[in-house]
Amino acid sequence: MKSKILKAVLIAFALATLASCTSTSGLSKGDVKRAINDGTWGTPKDSCLVYGYSMGGNKEFLQQNPKYGYKFYSVSEKSVTRTIPILLFWITIETGHVCFLEPLPVGAELKEYYSQSGNLITYKGIAGVDKVITKPGLLYYDPESKNHKYEKKAIKMLYKYFKGSGSEWEQVIRERMEELTGEKND
């Protein structure tokens, strides 16, 4: 009886060691590919894809330029974690993280909002604009890391959502990954 329990515990630890999980909110890889194929998203020539490692913990941004209408955009947040057993405890380690918004038109004005629970949104700050989209392409946004410390990690994870789409976004993201790799090697 004791040997069966010991075997079950060892198998559970082995499975936990090999397991890795992904926590996500927002757009899935399928959603991204559908939006690209349907043409509902702009291109890198006329839109800006805002991405970051944490985006300050925000869950919502309000686009408030009247030219484009007022609309909330949820942050698509993707993090990959690995759970490993250490003695009798399971420790979860984050191995990667990316946040992004769907591509927005140049001129979009973003205001940060925090999501508390469910659909409750708490306003952060008094009016104003936190970020203005001034040019098309990619925009790394991470207010918690001023020197873009995690951009390379974030863009590698972002690429996974566009890989295989054959879109202009896939190409632009791949080029930025190559630039960041080149900067590191210089």
Side-chain angles (χ1 to χ4, degrees):
M1 181 66 172
K2 287 182 182 181
S3 66
K4 287 182 181 181
I5 293 172
L6 182 59
K7 284 181 185 177
V9 169
L10 291 174
I11 289 171
F13 279 124
L15 289 174
T17 301
L18 298 174
S20 107
C21 62
T22 304
S23 65
T24 63
S25 65
L27 300 167
S28 69
K29 292 177 186 178
D31 293 335
V32 169
K33 287 181 181 169
R34 272 189 295 284
I36 289 170
N37 292 335
D38 294 347
T40 55
W41 281 5
T43 69
K45 294 175 184 155
D46 62 13
S47 302
C48 181
L49 188 125
V50 180
Y51 71 101
Y53 191 75
S54 72
M55 294 179 101
N58 296 303
K59 302 294 180 201
E60 302 272 338
F61 281 86
L62 172 65
Q63 190 302 117
Q64 56 186 18
N65 183 332
K67 181 178 177 181
Y68 303 112
Y70 297 90
K71 182 179 176 185
F72 276 103
Y73 290 90
S74 293
V75 172
S76 292
E77 184 175 7
K78 314 296 180 189
S79 60
V80 176
T81 58
R82 184 167 181 83
T83 304
I84 57 171
I86 296 179
L87 297 175
L88 296 176
F89 300 99
W90 285 331
I91 306 295
T92 301
I93 301 168
E94 186 175 288
T95 58
H97 191 86
V98 68
C99 300
F100 63 96
L101 298 173
E102 65 183 76
L104 300 170
V106 174
E109 299 173 352
L110 300 175
K111 180 65 185 164
E112 301 177 31
Y113 283 77
Y114 286 106
S115 177
Q116 297 294 328
S117 61
N119 294 331
L120 176 67
I121 303 294
T122 303
Y123 184 68
K124 177 189 172 211
I126 302 171
V129 174
D130 293 312
K131 194 69 184 169
V132 177
I133 306 301
T134 58
K135 61 182 182 177
L138 296 172
L139 173 64
Y140 182 75
Y141 179 73
D142 186 355
E144 294 178 7
S145 174
K146 304 231 186 290
N147 61 357
H148 295 214
K149 180 177 175 181
Y150 300 109
E151 183 178 8
K152 189 173 178 181
K153 286 182 181 182
I155 196 118
K156 283 182 179 180
M157 285 193 67
L158 180 65
Y159 180 69
K160 293 176 184 178
Y161 291 88
F162 291 83
K163 185 178 180 181
S165 68
S167 70
E168 293 176 65
W169 286 113
E170 179 183 4
Q171 181 63 33
V172 168
I173 293 167
R174 188 175 32 243
E175 287 170 3
R176 181 63 184 148
M177 282 176 24
E178 290 169 2
E179 282 177 33
L180 291 171
T181 302
E183 288 174 8
K184 192 76 172 179
N185 294 334
D186 289 343

